[in-house]
Amino acid sequence: MKWKITKVFSFEAGHRVWKQNLTHGRGAELTGRDVPLQNKCVNLHGHSYVLEVTLGSDTLSEQDMVMDFYHVKNALKDLIDTMDHSFIIDVNDPMYEELKSLAEKYGAFKIFPAPFCPTAEALAKYFYDFLTQKLEQAGLLKDVKVVSVVLWETKTSKAEYRPE
């Protein structure tokens, strides 16, 4: 892509990585015997997420832009507003039904049901797919592509999704 633009968003949300098991899986052999007894991310916890979406094009619009940042913001605004201050939970998580019931009973928190374990990697792909679908529905995919989505969970940890 000759031109790229990046829009940055931030939102607060909780989640839990219910599939986390530090003693097994890719990378466990790097840690050896020093694996903590408790997998912290299995607990309910939250993050101040920072989302970076990059769009690209080989041509500019009649206004000499890839796309106005205003339109990028509006394409994601409703989704981010829905996720903001929610608890993102996999519908396959063993705690899902109980947390859903508590949220409905007390109304003290909102949940964002997801069809995947809400790791930073899976959430980055989710945002990518969502924005790509928005561009497709608007008939813009012939000129503009989602180049990458980066999701920061903390100041030192991020996940990036980009199609190859």
Side-chain angles (χ1 to χ4, degrees), residues 80-111:
I80 291 172
D81 286 350
T82 302
M83 289 179 120
D84 189 35
H85 286 81
S86 74
F87 188 78
I88 306 165
I89 185 164
D90 182 353
V91 296
N92 298 302
D93 185 321
M95 293 179 73
Y96 172 70
E97 288 299 329
E98 190 167 353
L99 286 176
K100 178 182 170 192
S101 176
L102 287 171
E104 291 168 354
K105 181 176 180 179
Y106 295 107
F109 64 98
K110 66 179 181 178
I111 61 170

PDB file of all heavy atoms in Angstrom, residues 80-111:
ATOM      1  N   ILE A  80     -16.927  -0.102  19.967  1.00  0.00           N
ATOM      2  CA  ILE A  80     -16.079   0.276  21.098  1.00  0.00           C
ATOM      3  C   ILE A  80     -16.926   0.775  22.265  1.00  0.00           C
ATOM      4  O   ILE A  80     -16.666   0.429  23.422  1.00  0.00           O
ATOM      5  CB  ILE A  80     -15.019   1.304  20.665  1.00  0.00           C
ATOM      6  CG1 ILE A  80     -14.014   0.602  19.740  1.00  0.00           C
ATOM      7  CG2 ILE A  80     -14.319   1.928  21.861  1.00  0.00           C
ATOM      8  CD1 ILE A  80     -13.022   1.505  19.068  1.00  0.00           C
ATOM      9  N   ASP A  81     -17.962   1.551  21.987  1.00  0.00           N
ATOM     10  CA  ASP A  81     -18.852   2.008  23.062  1.00  0.00           C
ATOM     11  C   ASP A  81     -19.530   0.830  23.758  1.00  0.00           C
ATOM     12  O   ASP A  81     -19.751   0.856  24.971  1.00  0.00           O
ATOM     13  CB  ASP A  81     -19.917   2.965  22.518  1.00  0.00           C
ATOM     14  CG  ASP A  81     -19.360   4.348  22.193  1.00  0.00           C
ATOM     15  OD1 ASP A  81     -18.199   4.639  22.555  1.00  0.00           O
ATOM     16  OD2 ASP A  81     -20.101   5.129  21.561  1.00  0.00           O
ATOM     17  N   THR A  82     -19.877  -0.194  22.999  1.00  0.00           N
ATOM     18  CA  THR A  82     -20.509  -1.384  23.589  1.00  0.00           C
ATOM     19  C   THR A  82     -19.521  -2.158  24.450  1.00  0.00           C
ATOM     20  O   THR A  82     -19.870  -2.667  25.511  1.00  0.00           O
ATOM     21  CB  THR A  82     -21.070  -2.293  22.479  1.00  0.00           C
ATOM     22  OG1 THR A  82     -22.010  -1.542  21.703  1.00  0.00           O
ATOM     23  CG2 THR A  82     -21.759  -3.518  23.051  1.00  0.00           C
ATOM     24  N   MET A  83     -18.268  -2.232  24.007  1.00  0.00           N
ATOM     25  CA  MET A  83     -17.250  -2.967  24.766  1.00  0.00           C
ATOM     26  C   MET A  83     -16.739  -2.184  25.971  1.00  0.00           C
ATOM     27  O   MET A  83     -16.319  -2.785  26.961  1.00  0.00           O
ATOM     28  CB  MET A  83     -16.065  -3.320  23.863  1.00  0.00           C
ATOM     29  CG  MET A  83     -16.361  -4.374  22.842  1.00  0.00           C
ATOM     30  SD  MET A  83     -14.889  -4.668  21.851  1.00  0.00           S
ATOM     31  CE  MET A  83     -14.638  -6.395  22.211  1.00  0.00           C
ATOM     32  N   ASP A  84     -16.771  -0.855  25.882  1.00  0.00           N
ATOM     33  CA  ASP A  84     -16.205  -0.025  26.939  1.00  0.00           C
ATOM     34  C   ASP A  84     -16.897  -0.290  28.279  1.00  0.00           C
ATOM     35  O   ASP A  84     -18.121  -0.318  28.363  1.00  0.00           O
ATOM     36  CB  ASP A  84     -16.341   1.449  26.563  1.00  0.00           C
ATOM     37  CG  ASP A  84     -15.585   2.364  27.502  1.00  0.00           C
ATOM     38  OD1 ASP A  84     -14.502   1.984  27.984  1.00  0.00           O
ATOM     39  OD2 ASP A  84     -16.082   3.483  27.759  1.00  0.00           O
ATOM     40  N   HIS A  85     -16.111  -0.507  29.290  1.00  0.00           N
ATOM     41  CA  HIS A  85     -16.588  -0.798  30.641  1.00  0.00           C
ATOM     42  C   HIS A  85     -17.494  -2.032  30.675  1.00  0.00           C
ATOM     43  O   HIS A  85     -18.467  -2.085  31.437  1.00  0.00           O
ATOM     44  CB  HIS A  85     -17.273   0.419  31.267  1.00  0.00           C
ATOM     45  CG  HIS A  85     -16.285   1.460  31.674  1.00  0.00           C
ATOM     46  ND1 HIS A  85     -15.741   2.354  30.784  1.00  0.00           N
ATOM     47  CD2 HIS A  85     -15.729   1.737  32.874  1.00  0.00           C
ATOM     48  CE1 HIS A  85     -14.903   3.133  31.409  1.00  0.00           C
ATOM     49  NE2 HIS A  85     -14.857   2.787  32.688  1.00  0.00           N
ATOM     50  N   SER A  86     -17.175  -3.002  29.848  1.00  0.00           N
ATOM     51  CA  SER A  86     -17.890  -4.277  29.870  1.00  0.00           C
ATOM     52  C   SER A  86     -16.931  -5.372  30.325  1.00  0.00           C
ATOM     53  O   SER A  86     -15.730  -5.139  30.467  1.00  0.00           O
ATOM     54  CB  SER A  86     -18.444  -4.626  28.479  1.00  0.00           C
ATOM     55  OG  SER A  86     -17.399  -5.046  27.620  1.00  0.00           O
ATOM     56  N   PHE A  87     -17.492  -6.542  30.525  1.00  0.00           N
ATOM     57  CA  PHE A  87     -16.684  -7.730  30.788  1.00  0.00           C
ATOM     58  C   PHE A  87     -16.797  -8.608  29.550  1.00  0.00           C
ATOM     59  O   PHE A  87     -17.878  -9.102  29.233  1.00  0.00           O
ATOM     60  CB  PHE A  87     -17.160  -8.472  32.040  1.00  0.00           C
ATOM     61  CG  PHE A  87     -16.219  -9.573  32.431  1.00  0.00           C
ATOM     62  CD1 PHE A  87     -15.048  -9.284  33.094  1.00  0.00           C
ATOM     63  CD2 PHE A  87     -16.492 -10.886  32.086  1.00  0.00           C
ATOM     64  CE1 PHE A  87     -14.149 -10.295  33.427  1.00  0.00           C
ATOM     65  CE2 PHE A  87     -15.617 -11.897  32.420  1.00  0.00           C
ATOM     66  CZ  PHE A  87     -14.433 -11.601  33.095  1.00  0.00           C
ATOM     67  N   ILE A  88     -15.688  -8.762  28.835  1.00  0.00           N
ATOM     68  CA  ILE A  88     -15.659  -9.556  27.611  1.00  0.00           C
ATOM     69  C   ILE A  88     -15.472 -11.014  28.011  1.00  0.00           C
ATOM     70  O   ILE A  88     -14.488 -11.360  28.669  1.00  0.00           O
ATOM     71  CB  ILE A  88     -14.509  -9.100  26.683  1.00  0.00           C
ATOM     72  CG1 ILE A  88     -14.609  -7.596  26.415  1.00  0.00           C
ATOM     73  CG2 ILE A  88     -14.532  -9.895  25.382  1.00  0.00           C
ATOM     74  CD1 ILE A  88     -13.347  -6.985  25.816  1.00  0.00           C
ATOM     75  N   ILE A  89     -16.428 -11.849  27.629  1.00  0.00           N
ATOM     76  CA  ILE A  89     -16.372 -13.247  28.063  1.00  0.00           C
ATOM     77  C   ILE A  89     -16.742 -14.185  26.926  1.00  0.00           C
ATOM     78  O   ILE A  89     -17.677 -13.948  26.167  1.00  0.00           O
ATOM     79  CB  ILE A  89     -17.274 -13.492  29.304  1.00  0.00           C
ATOM     80  CG1 ILE A  89     -17.095 -14.925  29.822  1.00  0.00           C
ATOM     81  CG2 ILE A  89     -18.718 -13.148  29.014  1.00  0.00           C
ATOM     82  CD1 ILE A  89     -17.622 -15.151  31.222  1.00  0.00           C
ATOM     83  N   ASP A  90     -15.969 -15.239  26.834  1.00  0.00           N
ATOM     84  CA  ASP A  90     -16.204 -16.297  25.851  1.00  0.00           C
ATOM     85  C   ASP A  90     -17.489 -17.028  26.223  1.00  0.00           C
ATOM     86  O   ASP A  90     -17.676 -17.431  27.372  1.00  0.00           O
ATOM     87  CB  ASP A  90     -15.009 -17.257  25.887  1.00  0.00           C
ATOM     88  CG  ASP A  90     -15.077 -18.395  24.885  1.00  0.00           C
ATOM     89  OD1 ASP A  90     -16.111 -18.574  24.211  1.00  0.00           O
ATOM     90  OD2 ASP A  90     -14.066 -19.117  24.780  1.00  0.00           O
ATOM     91  N   VAL A  91     -18.379 -17.207  25.259  1.00  0.00           N
ATOM     92  CA  VAL A  91     -19.631 -17.924  25.534  1.00  0.00           C
ATOM     93  C   VAL A  91     -19.371 -19.388  25.877  1.00  0.00           C
ATOM     94  O   VAL A  91     -20.257 -20.063  26.402  1.00  0.00           O
ATOM     95  CB  VAL A  91     -20.637 -17.803  24.367  1.00  0.00           C
ATOM     96  CG1 VAL A  91     -21.064 -16.355  24.172  1.00  0.00           C
ATOM     97  CG2 VAL A  91     -20.074 -18.389  23.080  1.00  0.00           C
ATOM     98  N   ASN A  92     -18.154 -19.878  25.616  1.00  0.00           N
ATOM     99  CA  ASN A  92     -17.790 -21.255  25.981  1.00  0.00           C
ATOM    100  C   ASN A  92     -17.096 -21.343  27.340  1.00  0.00           C
ATOM    101  O   ASN A  92     -16.771 -22.434  27.795  1.00  0.00           O
ATOM    102  CB  ASN A  92     -16.876 -21.856  24.903  1.00  0.00           C
ATOM    103  CG  ASN A  92     -17.588 -21.938  23.575  1.00  0.00           C
ATOM    104  OD1 ASN A  92     -18.631 -22.562  23.466  1.00  0.00           O
ATOM    105  ND2 ASN A  92     -17.053 -21.277  22.565  1.00  0.00           N
ATOM    106  N   ASP A  93     -16.859 -20.205  27.957  1.00  0.00           N
ATOM    107  CA  ASP A  93     -16.228 -20.168  29.279  1.00  0.00           C
ATOM    108  C   ASP A  93     -17.179 -20.831  30.272  1.00  0.00           C
ATOM    109  O   ASP A  93     -18.380 -20.529  30.291  1.00  0.00           O
ATOM    110  CB  ASP A  93     -15.996 -18.702  29.665  1.00  0.00           C
ATOM    111  CG  ASP A  93     -15.246 -18.525  30.969  1.00  0.00           C
ATOM    112  OD1 ASP A  93     -15.473 -19.284  31.937  1.00  0.00           O
ATOM    113  OD2 ASP A  93     -14.450 -17.579  31.037  1.00  0.00           O
ATOM    114  N   PRO A  94     -16.688 -21.723  31.130  1.00  0.00           N
ATOM    115  CA  PRO A  94     -17.563 -22.362  32.118  1.00  0.00           C
ATOM    116  C   PRO A  94     -18.273 -21.373  33.043  1.00  0.00           C
ATOM    117  O   PRO A  94     -19.315 -21.695  33.599  1.00  0.00           O
ATOM    118  CB  PRO A  94     -16.602 -23.253  32.922  1.00  0.00           C
ATOM    119  CG  PRO A  94     -15.432 -23.471  32.029  1.00  0.00           C
ATOM    120  CD  PRO A  94     -15.323 -22.253  31.166  1.00  0.00           C
ATOM    121  N   MET A  95     -17.760 -20.161  33.172  1.00  0.00           N
ATOM    122  CA  MET A  95     -18.390 -19.154  34.033  1.00  0.00           C
ATOM    123  C   MET A  95     -19.422 -18.301  33.294  1.00  0.00           C
ATOM    124  O   MET A  95     -20.112 -17.489  33.923  1.00  0.00           O
ATOM    125  CB  MET A  95     -17.326 -18.230  34.629  1.00  0.00           C
ATOM    126  CG  MET A  95     -16.388 -18.908  35.618  1.00  0.00           C
ATOM    127  SD  MET A  95     -15.142 -17.764  36.248  1.00  0.00           S
ATOM    128  CE  MET A  95     -16.152 -16.754  37.329  1.00  0.00           C
ATOM    129  N   TYR A  96     -19.535 -18.458  31.975  1.00  0.00           N
ATOM    130  CA  TYR A  96     -20.375 -17.563  31.177  1.00  0.00           C
ATOM    131  C   TYR A  96     -21.817 -17.488  31.664  1.00  0.00           C
ATOM    132  O   TYR A  96     -22.339 -16.403  31.922  1.00  0.00           O
ATOM    133  CB  TYR A  96     -20.341 -17.960  29.699  1.00  0.00           C
ATOM    134  CG  TYR A  96     -21.334 -17.182  28.868  1.00  0.00           C
ATOM    135  CD1 TYR A  96     -21.148 -15.831  28.627  1.00  0.00           C
ATOM    136  CD2 TYR A  96     -22.479 -17.791  28.363  1.00  0.00           C
ATOM    137  CE1 TYR A  96     -22.066 -15.098  27.879  1.00  0.00           C
ATOM    138  CE2 TYR A  96     -23.401 -17.072  27.625  1.00  0.00           C
ATOM    139  CZ  TYR A  96     -23.188 -15.725  27.380  1.00  0.00           C
ATOM    140  OH  TYR A  96     -24.110 -15.009  26.657  1.00  0.00           O
ATOM    141  N   GLU A  97     -22.485 -18.614  31.789  1.00  0.00           N
ATOM    142  CA  GLU A  97     -23.912 -18.601  32.157  1.00  0.00           C
ATOM    143  C   GLU A  97     -24.140 -17.954  33.519  1.00  0.00           C
ATOM    144  O   GLU A  97     -25.085 -17.193  33.703  1.00  0.00           O
ATOM    145  CB  GLU A  97     -24.498 -20.023  32.132  1.00  0.00           C
ATOM    146  CG  GLU A  97     -24.670 -20.590  30.738  1.00  0.00           C
ATOM    147  CD  GLU A  97     -25.612 -19.781  29.843  1.00  0.00           C
ATOM    148  OE1 GLU A  97     -26.572 -19.149  30.368  1.00  0.00           O
ATOM    149  OE2 GLU A  97     -25.390 -19.763  28.623  1.00  0.00           O
ATOM    150  N   GLU A  98     -23.261 -18.244  34.464  1.00  0.00           N
ATOM    151  CA  GLU A  98     -23.423 -17.671  35.804  1.00  0.00           C
ATOM    152  C   GLU A  98     -23.181 -16.160  35.799  1.00  0.00           C
ATOM    153  O   GLU A  98     -23.941 -15.398  36.401  1.00  0.00           O
ATOM    154  CB  GLU A  98     -22.483 -18.352  36.792  1.00  0.00           C
ATOM    155  CG  GLU A  98     -22.770 -17.981  38.216  1.00  0.00           C
ATOM    156  CD  GLU A  98     -22.055 -18.879  39.215  1.00  0.00           C
ATOM    157  OE1 GLU A  98     -21.431 -19.877  38.809  1.00  0.00           O
ATOM    158  OE2 GLU A  98     -22.145 -18.556  40.404  1.00  0.00           O
ATOM    159  N   LEU A  99     -22.145 -15.714  35.096  1.00  0.00           N
ATOM    160  CA  LEU A  99     -21.888 -14.274  35.021  1.00  0.00           C
ATOM    161  C   LEU A  99     -22.993 -13.554  34.252  1.00  0.00           C
ATOM    162  O   LEU A  99     -23.403 -12.449  34.626  1.00  0.00           O
ATOM    163  CB  LEU A  99     -20.531 -14.008  34.376  1.00  0.00           C
ATOM    164  CG  LEU A  99     -19.321 -14.316  35.254  1.00  0.00           C
ATOM    165  CD1 LEU A  99     -18.028 -14.119  34.482  1.00  0.00           C
ATOM    166  CD2 LEU A  99     -19.330 -13.455  36.509  1.00  0.00           C
ATOM    167  N   LYS A 100     -23.501 -14.183  33.213  1.00  0.00           N
ATOM    168  CA  LYS A 100     -24.617 -13.608  32.453  1.00  0.00           C
ATOM    169  C   LYS A 100     -25.835 -13.456  33.361  1.00  0.00           C
ATOM    170  O   LYS A 100     -26.494 -12.421  33.373  1.00  0.00           O
ATOM    171  CB  LYS A 100     -24.944 -14.497  31.259  1.00  0.00           C
ATOM    172  CG  LYS A 100     -26.104 -14.014  30.429  1.00  0.00           C
ATOM    173  CD  LYS A 100     -26.384 -14.997  29.293  1.00  0.00           C
ATOM    174  CE  LYS A 100     -27.679 -14.658  28.603  1.00  0.00           C
ATOM    175  NZ  LYS A 100     -28.136 -15.696  27.705  1.00  0.00           N
ATOM    176  N   SER A 101     -26.115 -14.475  34.141  1.00  0.00           N
ATOM    177  CA  SER A 101     -27.245 -14.443  35.062  1.00  0.00           C
ATOM    178  C   SER A 101     -27.077 -13.337  36.108  1.00  0.00           C
ATOM    179  O   SER A 101     -28.019 -12.605  36.410  1.00  0.00           O
ATOM    180  CB  SER A 101     -27.390 -15.803  35.739  1.00  0.00           C
ATOM    181  OG  SER A 101     -28.408 -15.773  36.701  1.00  0.00           O
ATOM    182  N   LEU A 102     -25.880 -13.208  36.665  1.00  0.00           N
ATOM    183  CA  LEU A 102     -25.616 -12.157  37.650  1.00  0.00           C
ATOM    184  C   LEU A 102     -25.761 -10.766  37.027  1.00  0.00           C
ATOM    185  O   LEU A 102     -26.322  -9.858  37.653  1.00  0.00           O
ATOM    186  CB  LEU A 102     -24.215 -12.314  38.237  1.00  0.00           C
ATOM    187  CG  LEU A 102     -24.030 -13.463  39.214  1.00  0.00           C
ATOM    188  CD1 LEU A 102     -22.549 -13.647  39.545  1.00  0.00           C
ATOM    189  CD2 LEU A 102     -24.845 -13.227  40.475  1.00  0.00           C
ATOM    190  N   ALA A 103     -25.268 -10.612  35.812  1.00  0.00           N
ATOM    191  CA  ALA A 103     -25.376  -9.316  35.126  1.00  0.00           C
ATOM    192  C   ALA A 103     -26.842  -8.960  34.899  1.00  0.00           C
ATOM    193  O   ALA A 103     -27.248  -7.811  35.096  1.00  0.00           O
ATOM    194  CB  ALA A 103     -24.623  -9.360  33.802  1.00  0.00           C
ATOM    195  N   GLU A 104     -27.637  -9.941  34.503  1.00  0.00           N
ATOM    196  CA  GLU A 104     -29.066  -9.692  34.275  1.00  0.00           C
ATOM    197  C   GLU A 104     -29.801  -9.434  35.584  1.00  0.00           C
ATOM    198  O   GLU A 104     -30.670  -8.568  35.660  1.00  0.00           O
ATOM    199  CB  GLU A 104     -29.689 -10.882  33.543  1.00  0.00           C
ATOM    200  CG  GLU A 104     -29.208 -11.015  32.108  1.00  0.00           C
ATOM    201  CD  GLU A 104     -29.597 -12.346  31.464  1.00  0.00           C
ATOM    202  OE1 GLU A 104     -30.150 -13.242  32.167  1.00  0.00           O
ATOM    203  OE2 GLU A 104     -29.330 -12.504  30.259  1.00  0.00           O
ATOM    204  N   LYS A 105     -29.456 -10.177  36.628  1.00  0.00           N
ATOM    205  CA  LYS A 105     -30.148 -10.060  37.910  1.00  0.00           C
ATOM    206  C   LYS A 105     -29.869  -8.723  38.588  1.00  0.00           C
ATOM    207  O   LYS A 105     -30.787  -8.072  39.095  1.00  0.00           O
ATOM    208  CB  LYS A 105     -29.721 -11.206  38.834  1.00  0.00           C
ATOM    209  CG  LYS A 105     -30.397 -11.191  40.181  1.00  0.00           C
ATOM    210  CD  LYS A 105     -29.997 -12.406  41.003  1.00  0.00           C
ATOM    211  CE  LYS A 105     -30.675 -12.389  42.364  1.00  0.00           C
ATOM    212  NZ  LYS A 105     -30.301 -13.574  43.163  1.00  0.00           N
ATOM    213  N   TYR A 106     -28.610  -8.303  38.602  1.00  0.00           N
ATOM    214  CA  TYR A 106     -28.243  -7.113  39.355  1.00  0.00           C
ATOM    215  C   TYR A 106     -28.033  -5.869  38.495  1.00  0.00           C
ATOM    216  O   TYR A 106     -28.066  -4.759  39.008  1.00  0.00           O
ATOM    217  CB  TYR A 106     -26.984  -7.371  40.193  1.00  0.00           C
ATOM    218  CG  TYR A 106     -27.222  -8.403  41.259  1.00  0.00           C
ATOM    219  CD1 TYR A 106     -26.695  -9.685  41.136  1.00  0.00           C
ATOM    220  CD2 TYR A 106     -27.989  -8.111  42.385  1.00  0.00           C
ATOM    221  CE1 TYR A 106     -26.933 -10.645  42.108  1.00  0.00           C
ATOM    222  CE2 TYR A 106     -28.225  -9.065  43.362  1.00  0.00           C
ATOM    223  CZ  TYR A 106     -27.686 -10.327  43.218  1.00  0.00           C
ATOM    224  OH  TYR A 106     -27.915 -11.265  44.171  1.00  0.00           O
ATOM    225  N   GLY A 107     -27.788  -6.059  37.213  1.00  0.00           N
ATOM    226  CA  GLY A 107     -27.552  -4.920  36.336  1.00  0.00           C
ATOM    227  C   GLY A 107     -26.360  -4.074  36.742  1.00  0.00           C
ATOM    228  O   GLY A 107     -26.238  -2.925  36.342  1.00  0.00           O
ATOM    229  N   ALA A 108     -25.490  -4.629  37.546  1.00  0.00           N
ATOM    230  CA  ALA A 108     -24.354  -3.876  38.067  1.00  0.00           C
ATOM    231  C   ALA A 108     -23.155  -3.899  37.122  1.00  0.00           C
ATOM    232  O   ALA A 108     -22.199  -3.169  37.336  1.00  0.00           O
ATOM    233  CB  ALA A 108     -23.943  -4.430  39.426  1.00  0.00           C
ATOM    234  N   PHE A 109     -23.192  -4.731  36.129  1.00  0.00           N
ATOM    235  CA  PHE A 109     -22.126  -4.776  35.145  1.00  0.00           C
ATOM    236  C   PHE A 109     -22.689  -5.310  33.843  1.00  0.00           C
ATOM    237  O   PHE A 109     -23.740  -5.926  33.819  1.00  0.00           O
ATOM    238  CB  PHE A 109     -20.935  -5.615  35.628  1.00  0.00           C
ATOM    239  CG  PHE A 109     -21.232  -7.071  35.827  1.00  0.00           C
ATOM    240  CD1 PHE A 109     -20.907  -7.998  34.845  1.00  0.00           C
ATOM    241  CD2 PHE A 109     -21.811  -7.536  37.001  1.00  0.00           C
ATOM    242  CE1 PHE A 109     -21.169  -9.349  35.025  1.00  0.00           C
ATOM    243  CE2 PHE A 109     -22.075  -8.881  37.190  1.00  0.00           C
ATOM    244  CZ  PHE A 109     -21.750  -9.789  36.202  1.00  0.00           C
ATOM    245  N   LYS A 110     -21.995  -4.979  32.764  1.00  0.00           N
ATOM    246  CA  LYS A 110     -22.460  -5.481  31.476  1.00  0.00           C
ATOM    247  C   LYS A 110     -21.437  -6.464  30.929  1.00  0.00           C
ATOM    248  O   LYS A 110     -20.234  -6.341  31.189  1.00  0.00           O
ATOM    249  CB  LYS A 110     -22.723  -4.346  30.481  1.00  0.00           C
ATOM    250  CG  LYS A 110     -21.517  -3.566  30.043  1.00  0.00           C
ATOM    251  CD  LYS A 110     -21.914  -2.480  29.027  1.00  0.00           C
ATOM    252  CE  LYS A 110     -20.700  -1.704  28.573  1.00  0.00           C
ATOM    253  NZ  LYS A 110     -21.008  -0.689  27.566  1.00  0.00           N
ATOM    254  N   ILE A 111     -21.943  -7.437  30.217  1.00  0.00           N
ATOM    255  CA  ILE A 111     -21.052  -8.401  29.607  1.00  0.00           C
ATOM    256  C   ILE A 111     -21.083  -8.218  28.089  1.00  0.00           C
ATOM    257  O   ILE A 111     -22.062  -7.750  27.515  1.00  0.00           O
ATOM    258  CB  ILE A 111     -21.383  -9.861  29.992  1.00  0.00           C
ATOM    259  CG1 ILE A 111     -22.786 -10.254  29.536  1.00  0.00           C
ATOM    260  CG2 ILE A 111     -21.201 -10.088  31.476  1.00  0.00           C
ATOM    261  CD1 ILE A 111     -23.053 -11.737  29.679  1.00  0.00           C
TER     262      ILE A 111
END
